[in-house]
Amino acid sequence: MNKVYKSKLARAIALAFIFYITSFSDLVGQTVWLDQLDLSAATQGYGVPRKNKTVDGNVMKIAGQSYDRGFGTHAESSLQIQLGGKAKLFTAWVGVDDEMKEHQPAVEFFVLGDGKKLWSSAVMRVGDIARPCTVDVAGVNKLELVVTDGSNGNYYDHADWADAKFETLGATTFATFNPVSSEPYILTPKPSATPKINSASVFGVRPGSPFQFRIPVTGDRPMNFSASGLPSGLKLNGTTGVITGKLAKAGTYLVKLRAKNAKGIAEKSLKIICGDQIALTPPMGWNSWNCFAGEVSAEKVKRAAEVMVKTGLVNHGWNYVNIDDFWQNHRDSKDPSLQGKMRDEAGNIIPNKRFGDMKGLADYVHGLGLKIGIYSSPGPWTCGGCAGSYGYEKQDAESYAKWGFDYLKYDWCSYGNVINGLPQNDPYKVSSLSYQGGNQLATAMKPFQLMGDLLRKQPRDIVFSLCQYGMSDVWKWGGSVGGTSWRTTNDITDTWTSVKNIALDQEKSAAFAKPGNWNDPDMLVVGTVGWGNPHPSKLKPDEQYLHFSLWSLFSAPLLIGCDMEKLDDFTINLLTNDEVIAVNQDGLGKQASCVQTIGDLRIYVKDLEDGSKAVGFCNFGLEKVNIAYNDLNKLGFSGKQRVRDLWRQKDIRDISTDKEALDLNVPVHGVVLYKLSPLR
Ligand code: GLA
């Protein structure tokens, strides 16, 4: 054989070999391990996504079995993977990591293919042996791996996708992605220098209760306030715009509010309804939990109140400053500032050293024209293990009133142990979600009825916020036990999965919202949040616009959960759009419901007092929505309507709803929020 021939033959053999290998691997495929992909695209409720380790950085271990490879995460968790139809099979062993065995976490794993559920693990707890996940993913373009909180809040939910891998169709690898843009962008125009009164149209108070209402007004200072038609018993401070006093008799009083500065004058009518109901529009304010959790102190609460005034948030209606858990002494904390006697000889609760003078704090907050809230549990312990109200309900209601509190959040937690006869020193909610025997509804209502009645006996109005995560369809009876609002779901986290699942869960209760009775899908997760580990909300800007729009459409209590001292321009802008807030504060008090879905686009409609409707085109999907929408009749519109973009505070156009289409461009996980008003 000559040299040339030899080398040609060698090349031909090599090529044939390569061809054989490639086509063979095309046929048999490959294994692509999940840990070979970029996991940083995942979003999760706590910590960072980990490769081959748990969320705390340990070797993954489920019920004693260790795993070298996989994805360690924490509920609520979501990882998106572009498969492009090139994978056949996804397999993994899933479970709660043993590193949390001192606690009671519960999670549920889901595999979604192109938005559809392909598999779920059912709820898993710590100590459960790993469950095999084997999912046929042939033809799937986008795969999502999700871990939810197992319906008991996302506490200690360390979740492992162990030995997770794909069998592919041919030689390939996959990219993870997060389709939502991260760039913050400002939509709300700055308030004008001329006065504008941003209050709701109604305000409720009970006869004989101290009255306090700070008129929210934007515009240059100094500002002078006046009012006509103020009933006797009330007086307005012309400089601060705070109305105080007392109304002796029930009745409806029509007041004209006026605000004047160097640039001009504004007027607005306010209907004061003195009767049985308070919180005729959803409460708006701040709560310490989502940022400070167990680190709250009187100083932090004072500073949050001061920021509410200094940043001008108060001029948009933000008003309550609410202390959550950890103002009381703790069961067994090592922190000296939480140690001490829980109660005095008469059974009166003693605030911890970080708080001390509760009346002084309440006076300070009232002095700013704001209101103040407090927190307790009907059980012996709060969710965080501080002293609860069980057995001392009367003393507690009286203390709150004596100190001057305006709002009580009353959180089920260890009450579950009381009714189930479980050890009362375990404050966690694991036992609380089910009742053993008995009349379940009566059991669920009892502690709230008790506190509700006691609050009503106090000589001041105290908003009663029920927190029991939606058990026993609380929206059907929360009002009857004196509740002003009630949580409908478990705790929120600053992840898209959490916000989305909570939002999707609101339909069941929507019809029950009305003035004085609000469904509460939990507090806002915008700004710097973190339950003691402060970080910027993990929600992307579009997700935050959607979150705030939905909570406004839902007529939800609006409670800012962030560190007020770290408010950035984006967050302030998000929280100060008066036209969006007006949707939340509308006097009719209806909650929006989802009237139509087009793929992942959910269209929510909320009827407003002036005969117009707010419409939220909410994109829950992974693709932008660009459509000519011509179903306005299906949403209940007819004739000519003026379309206004509420986030941009701009009229878009007038539309003949029977003939014309609306061009919609809705970002991924974003919103277009319009108000449509009938034109004559
Ligand atoms: C529960 C509630 C939270 C918060 C904590 C405090 O989890 O749902 O909103 O109040 O308790 O411990």
Side-chain angles (χ1 to χ4, degrees):
M1 236 187 279
N2 69 34
K3 254 188 178 169
V4 177
Y5 181 73
K6 255 190 188 163
S7 84
K8 272 192 179 161
L9 185 68
R11 243 181 94 207
I13 291 170
L15 279 174
F17 183 70
I18 290 166
F19 177 75
Y20 170 77
I21 292 292
T22 338
S23 47
F24 181 71
S25 71
D26 251 2
L27 236 51
V28 297
Q30 291 183 328
T31 297
V32 172
W33 290 80
L34 187 61
D35 59 76
Q36 292 173 321
L37 312 187
D38 174 11
L39 301 179
S40 68
T43 57
Q44 57 188 49
Y46 167 85
V48 289
R50 295 281 195 159
K51 204 168 260 202
N52 304 330
K53 291 272 187 282
T54 68
V55 68
D56 274 357
N58 299 315
V59 171
M60 291 196 260
K61 207 179 210 186
I62 304 170
Q65 170 75 49
S66 303
Y67 299 87
D68 294 336
R69 303 190 77 160
F71 166 33
T73 185
H74 192 289
E76 310 272 353
S77 164
S78 156
L79 176 65
Q80 309 266 3
I81 307 155
Q82 180 73 45
L83 295 182
K86 296 231 173 83
K88 288 189 292 195
L89 197 67
F90 174 71
T91 56
W93 291 91
V94 300
V96 179
D97 198 276
D98 286 359
E99 70 190 359
M100 283 298 115
K101 62 172 178 286
E102 302 307 319
H103 300 279
Q104 288 127 344
V107 300
E108 187 165 2
F109 294 80
F110 291 84
V111 178
L112 310 180
D114 297 321
K116 290 195 189 63
K117 181 174 133 183
L118 302 179
W119 177 87
S120 71
S121 64
V123 172
M124 295 189 71
R125 299 185 189 279
V126 73
D128 288 352
I129 54 166
R131 293 197 184 145
C133 165
T134 305
V135 186
D136 178 351
V137 291
V140 170
N141 184 26
K142 288 174 177 151
L143 192 82
E144 186 178 4
L145 303 181
V146 173
V147 185
T148 65
D149 70 3
S151 297
N152 71 341
N154 82 333
Y155 305 99
Y156 313 107
D157 285 349
H158 295 212
D160 298 334
W161 294 92
D163 273 354
K165 54 185 181 294
F166 296 94
E167 296 306 322
T168 74
L169 282 171
T172 185
T173 185
F174 305 118
T176 56
F177 67 100
N178 191 324
V180 194
S181 157
S182 298
E183 257 333 284
Y185 60 101
I186 300 273
L187 287 179
T188 304
K190 281 228 161 14
S192 116
T194 50
K196 183 170 167 283
I197 303 180
N198 299 308
S199 80
S201 60
V202 286
F203 182 77
V205 65
R206 294 191 181 116
S209 294
F211 187 104
Q212 187 188 300
F213 179 82
R214 180 175 170 142
I215 308 172
V217 183
T218 44
D220 283 357
R221 269 30 185 197
M223 185 89 70
N224 184 270
F225 299 87
S226 60
S228 49
L230 263 192
S232 78
L234 299 188
K235 62 173 194 303
L236 165 64
N237 180 320
T239 319
T240 61
V242 182
I243 306 175
T244 52
K246 220 172 249 184
L247 288 174
K249 278 203 301 245
T252 298
Y253 307 94
L254 286 178
V255 179
K256 179 75 89 193
L257 305 172
R258 235 167 265 114
K260 190 169 173 244
N261 68 7
K263 299 277 165 41
I265 183 159
E267 285 193 343
K268 183 157 184 177
S269 304
L270 175 72
K271 197 193 284 180
I272 297 175
I273 304 180
C274 180
D276 203 39
Q277 291 285 41
I278 55 169
L280 297 181
T281 62
M284 288 177 70
W286 173 86
N287 171 294
S288 58
W289 185 251
N290 287 357
C291 49
F292 299 130
E295 304 294 318
V296 68
S297 67
E299 273 318 302
K300 287 178 178 161
V301 174
K302 271 191 190 170
R303 291 206 295 269
E306 286 160 3
V307 172
M308 198 174 267
V309 176
K310 260 191 233 143
T311 52
L313 279 173
V314 70
N315 300 330
H316 302 268
W318 298 97
N319 198 256
Y320 286 93
V321 177
N322 294 350
I323 310 164
D324 207 279
D325 209 352
F326 286 89
W327 62 269
Q328 325 83 325
N329 278 314
H330 197 272
R331 203 176 23 141
D332 54 9
S333 172
K334 309 246 171 341
D335 179 341
S337 67
L338 297 174
Q339 294 167 355
K341 270 177 75 178
M342 310 276 167
R343 295 181 178 273
D344 66 16
E345 277 67 39
N348 297 313
I349 189 147
I350 303 173
N352 65 37
K353 297 184 193 73
R354 301 175 188 171
F355 281 85
D357 179 10
M358 297 302 265
K359 177 155 181 353
L361 179 59
D363 287 347
Y364 181 80
V365 171
H366 288 149
L368 297 171
L370 304 175
K371 295 193 167 178
I372 185 161
I374 199 161
Y375 167 99
S376 190
S377 168
W381 306 108
T382 64
C383 300
C386 296
S389 295
Y390 185 63
Y392 298 97
E393 293 83 357
K394 183 160 182 289
Q395 286 95 329
D396 284 359
E398 285 170 0
S399 293
Y400 308 150
K402 193 175 71 196
W403 293 333
F405 278 83
D406 307 293
Y407 190 115
L408 171 67
K409 171 174 170 183
Y410 206 44
D411 193 349
W412 179 265
C413 262
S414 65
Y415 193 79
N417 294 20
V418 173
I419 57 170
N420 287 329
L422 291 165
Q424 292 188 10
N425 62 356
D426 176 356
Y428 298 105
K429 283 185 293 186
V430 67
S431 63
S432 64
L433 295 172
S434 59
Y435 319 111
Q436 289 169 359
N439 178 338
Q440 300 216 353
L441 184 59
T443 308
M445 290 170 75
K446 189 174 161 195
F448 294 104
Q449 181 85 61
L450 177 62
M451 184 51 94
D453 290 347
L454 286 162
L455 292 180
R456 283 306 301 270
K457 292 199 179 112
Q458 305 311 313
R460 60 184 300 114
D461 291 349
I462 302 178
V463 167
F464 189 27
S465 153
L466 275 49
C467 180
Q468 45 84 292
Y469 339 110
M471 293 185 291
S472 304
D473 293 353
V474 61
W475 43 92
K476 295 184 180 155
W477 52 265
S480 75
V481 296
T484 328
S485 66
W486 38 82
R487 283 268 299 276
T488 51
T489 53
N490 249 303
D491 291 14
I492 198 165
T493 59
D494 57 322
T495 57
W496 167 246
T497 308
S498 169
V499 170
K500 174 177 122 184
N501 288 342
I502 288 180
L504 294 180
D505 211 12
Q506 297 310 305
E507 287 305 304
K508 59 190 185 193
S509 49
F512 294 85
K514 59 175 191 288
N517 286 177
W518 309 108
N519 291 308
D520 175 5
D522 207 359
M523 299 173 283
L524 297 166
V525 275
V526 303
T528 299
V529 290
W531 301 268
N533 297 306
H535 58 261
S537 172
K538 290 176 196 159
L539 293 183
K540 300 287 172 74
D542 278 317
E543 293 170 342
Q544 299 194 37
Y545 281 119
L546 179 55
H547 174 34
F548 198 83
S549 304
L550 282 167
W551 266 234
S552 296
L553 287 160
F554 292 157
S555 305
L558 294 178
L559 292 167
I560 302 169
C562 70
D563 184 341
M564 298 285 274
E565 293 185 276
K566 297 198 178 122
L567 278 171
D568 55 295
D569 289 350
F570 173 81
T571 312
I572 292 185
N573 192 264
L574 183 78
L575 296 172
T576 54
N577 186 315
D578 298 306
E579 298 194 21
V580 178
I581 292 173
V583 170
N584 175 270
Q585 292 292 302
D586 187 73
L588 199 60
K590 291 253 190 206
Q591 177 168 336
S593 54
C594 178
V595 177
Q596 192 185 10
T597 54
I598 304 173
D600 289 319
L601 183 73
R602 296 173 64 83
I603 306 173
Y604 289 85
V605 180
K606 174 170 162 138
D607 291 336
L608 303 173
E609 203 178 13
D610 65 359
S612 62
K613 293 175 199 286
V615 186
F617 297 94
C618 304
N619 186 356
F620 283 74
L622 295 175
E623 310 281 345
K624 281 186 197 154
V625 172
N626 292 324
I627 52 169
Y629 178 75
N630 55 11
D631 264 353
L632 282 166
N633 294 139
K634 277 203 187 139
L635 306 185
F637 293 104
S638 61
K640 247 190 162 195
Q641 302 271 339
R642 174 146 302 164
V643 182
R644 187 165 172 83
D645 182 328
L646 297 182
W647 278 110
R648 293 175 180 80
Q649 302 187 345
K650 214 164 77 188
D651 285 343
I652 298 288
R653 59 178 288 202
D654 295 344
I655 189 169
S656 292
T657 55
D658 315 289
K659 325 196 250 286
E660 292 177 286
L662 202 52
D663 287 325
L664 288 179
N665 296 303
V666 197
V668 176
H669 295 180
V671 65
V672 165
L673 184 62
Y674 285 160
K675 176 169 165 172
L676 273 72
S677 317
L679 290 169
R680 291 227 183 102

